[in-house]
Amino acid sequence: MGALTNGAFLMVMALAVIVMGAMRLRHPMELPTGPMLVAAAGGLVTEFVSLYLLHRQQGQDLNVRGAYWHIIRTFVGSLIIVVAALVIRFMGFLAIDPLLGIAFGFVLLWASWGILRDSVPLLMEGTPPGVDLAEATGALGRLDGGRDVHRVHAWALTSGRYVFSANLRTDSADAGADDVLLVRAHDLLRERFGFFFVTLQFETTCLDEAAAAEIDITSSVPSAWRISPLTEVNVRRSAAPQAGSSRRWSDR
């Protein structure tokens, strides 16, 4: 939620910078270059320190990346002020300030979109990028004692902290064998696939797959069109040819 809010705020700021730059471009105005240079130089010092502290962590955490890009926004903004002040003072080109602002606004727009794109799947508990569920399921099903794996779900608690859950059907109800299989399964999913938390349910039969069929969106037949076994028997009885009728079953 923090990363999503940060990305949305950054996008609003980017749009505001672009709009205000376009408005300023239509009506350039004289700017006090002396105070501009002093304020921008002071900001560059603190922003450089902040960027140095956040740079290594911003690639691993969405919240840190959002904070990192906010610092970049102010850091580049200070650089733009310095360049604009120098150009205006020595060349008198007033449009340089809004032009640089608009260009940087599009950079911020690109950065905010990246943060929003990565934070929404986290909130929706989607499969994290780089996680191959088919490969993980196949490796889990090939362990000794396992028969098949179903109801597999992988999602992320936060950046770099992935969670895995599944139902694993076993050969027997032997508690000792299941304990050994559980340890091997956990080691496999953590060491080979990098899952931070693993939850596995062992079973000898599929306990709740019948109910899951009602919400299976991959089925080619809509659930509203399906007929229960009892209804099908009643339909067949009502449609069966009566005594003395010359119609065949296929006609019905």
Side-chain angles (χ1 to χ4, degrees), residues 70-240:
H70 276 287
I71 301 299
I72 285 183
R73 176 179 64 83
T74 56
F75 179 77
V76 176
S78 298
L79 287 178
I80 289 176
I81 292 174
V82 171
V83 173
L86 293 176
V87 171
I88 292 173
R89 167 168 289 192
F90 295 105
M91 301 180 61
F93 183 52
L94 299 179
I96 186 63
D97 182 51
L99 285 175
L100 292 176
I102 292 173
F104 183 59
F106 281 105
V107 174
L108 286 180
L109 200 62
W110 169 79
S112 63
W113 167 248
I115 296 174
L116 291 174
R117 179 197 59 206
D118 293 341
S119 61
V120 170
L122 280 174
L123 290 175
M124 298 300 293
E125 294 189 352
T127 302
V131 174
D132 191 340
L133 275 184
E135 184 180 356
T137 302
L140 195 61
R142 287 190 293 269
L143 292 176
D144 293 337
R147 294 177 60 187
D148 64 70
V149 185
H150 53 281
R151 286 181 48 211
V152 179
H153 186 200
W155 69 101
L157 291 176
T158 184
S159 301
R161 295 291 185 267
Y162 299 157
V163 184
F164 182 93
S165 68
N167 286 27
L168 178 60
R169 196 147 57 108
T170 61
D171 290 330
S172 66
D174 184 1
D178 285 351
D179 288 342
V180 175
L181 179 60
L182 181 62
V183 172
R184 295 182 61 193
H186 273 247
D187 291 342
L188 171 71
L189 293 171
R190 287 178 179 175
E191 296 175 5
R192 179 174 171 183
F193 297 98
F195 288 105
F196 192 73
F197 287 121
V198 174
T199 302
L200 295 174
Q201 176 176 318
F202 285 4
E203 55 192 30
T204 56
T205 57
C206 295
L207 301 177
D208 55 359
E209 294 304 302
E214 298 179 1
I215 58 173
D216 183 10
I217 62 174
T218 63
S219 175
S220 59
V221 180
S223 59
W225 296 358
R226 296 184 187 133
I227 301 177
S228 65
L230 181 59
T231 305
E232 185 176 359
V233 170
N234 292 333
V235 170
R236 286 182 178 273
R237 286 177 179 174
S238 63

Side-chain angles (χ1 to χ4, degrees), residues 19-28 93-96 98-99 102:
V19 172
M20 293 177 66
M23 294 172 61
R24 181 69 63 84
L25 189 60
R26 295 178 58 185
H27 304 287
F93 183 52
L94 299 179
I96 186 63
L99 285 175
I102 292 173

